[in-house]
Amino acid sequence: AQSVTQLDSQVPVFEEAPVELRCNYSSSVSVYLFWYVQYPNQGLQLLLKYLSGSTLVKGINGFEAEFNKSQTSFHLRKPSVHISDTAEYFCAVSEETGGFKTIFGAGTRLFVKA
Amino acid sequence: NAGVTQTPKFQVLKTGQSMTLQCAQDMNHEYMSWYRQDPGMGLRLIHYSVGAGITDQGEVPNGYNVSRSTTEDFPLRLLSAAPSQTSVYFCASILGTVNYGYTFGSGTRLTVV
């Protein structure tokens, strides 16, 4: 069975500072990895995904994430955040050959301060 | 393109009442799921469907039923509402070839009193 752990429930950061949101996963098979963003009172929106190939993936809004198979991690980063990045971010995992069942982490609330 | 449409957006039920949350997508996606979102718990999978006529249980299926008579529609039925079912419910879909990530609806906020 898969599981996802987001190591920080809340991350406060000042505007224009860098940020890293941490995600670790557990699975006995190869996986696909995702980050989703949820703005207040909205549904989730896909931020980026890792399916195969380069371990550094770039997404929308200047975010990127790095897949580290040996550490079973998929941390999300942005070099300079904006107030508008304030949202909740979810890491998710899906088995490559297990259909499309996707397991989500508990979420990390990013709060960007002026 | 409307994407994934959920209705209603808000609902208050009394304990023991039943209701159906509607979900429709116009993208010809084969795979559809229902999740519930509770504070500090992320999203938990209730039921999913890999295509018309095929459904299966997720992590937290008790108290919920689903059906998939068409590719477009995937309604979620609460049989006898309980306060523990107070949550935000999201429907989501994937095209159905490779998991390129979900398209989510905007959610239904359900309160059971």
Side-chain angles (χ1 to χ4, degrees), chain B residues 54-101:
Chain B
I54 306 169
T55 63
D56 207 345
Q57 297 181 351
E59 304 170 71
V60 289
N62 292 340
Y64 308 94
N65 273 355
V66 291
S67 60
R68 185 94 180 271
S69 56
T70 66
T71 299
E72 294 77 19
D73 298 300
F74 191 43
L76 178 72
R77 296 184 188 85
L78 280 70
L79 309 173
S80 177
S84 60
Q85 294 178 303
T86 293
S87 188
V88 181
Y89 291 85
F90 287 101
C91 180
S93 68
I94 299 173
L95 179 59
T97 51
V98 176
N99 186 356
Y100 291 114

Side-chain angles (χ1 to χ4, degrees), chain A:
Chain A
Q2 314 149 67
S3 67
V4 178
T5 302
Q6 291 186 241
L7 298 161
D8 306 291
S9 59
Q10 295 185 72
V11 174
V13 63
F14 284 103
E15 192 174 20
E16 297 184 9
V19 71
E20 178 180 83
L21 306 184
R22 298 179 293 166
C23 173
N24 286 102
Y25 70 93
S26 171
S27 178
S28 56
V29 299
S30 296
V31 296
Y32 296 147
L33 293 158
F34 306 86
W35 276 98
Y36 290 84
V37 59
Q38 184 181 32
Y39 299 105
N41 299 315
Q42 295 186 26
L44 281 73
Q45 176 184 357
L46 182 65
L47 201 55
L48 50 78
K49 58 184 178 286
Y50 171 78
L51 304 182
S52 64
S54 173
T55 57
L56 182 64
V57 293
K58 295 187 183 298
I60 61 173
N61 301 339
F63 283 92
E64 63 181 34
E66 185 156 21
F67 170 52
N68 188 318
K69 189 173 182 179
S70 63
Q71 298 188 7
T72 60
S73 68
F74 191 54
H75 300 333
L76 181 70
R77 302 184 182 100
K78 187 170 182 178
S80 176
V81 295
H82 303 288
I83 297 287
S84 59
D85 292 322
T86 294
E88 189 149 22
Y89 292 79
F90 292 93
C91 182
V93 62
S94 172
E95 291 183 359
E96 268 189 38
T97 55
F100 301 110
K101 286 175 66 174
T102 303
I103 304 301
F104 287 80
T108 297
R109 187 169 296 277
L110 175 64
F111 179 57
V112 181
K113 301 177 286 186

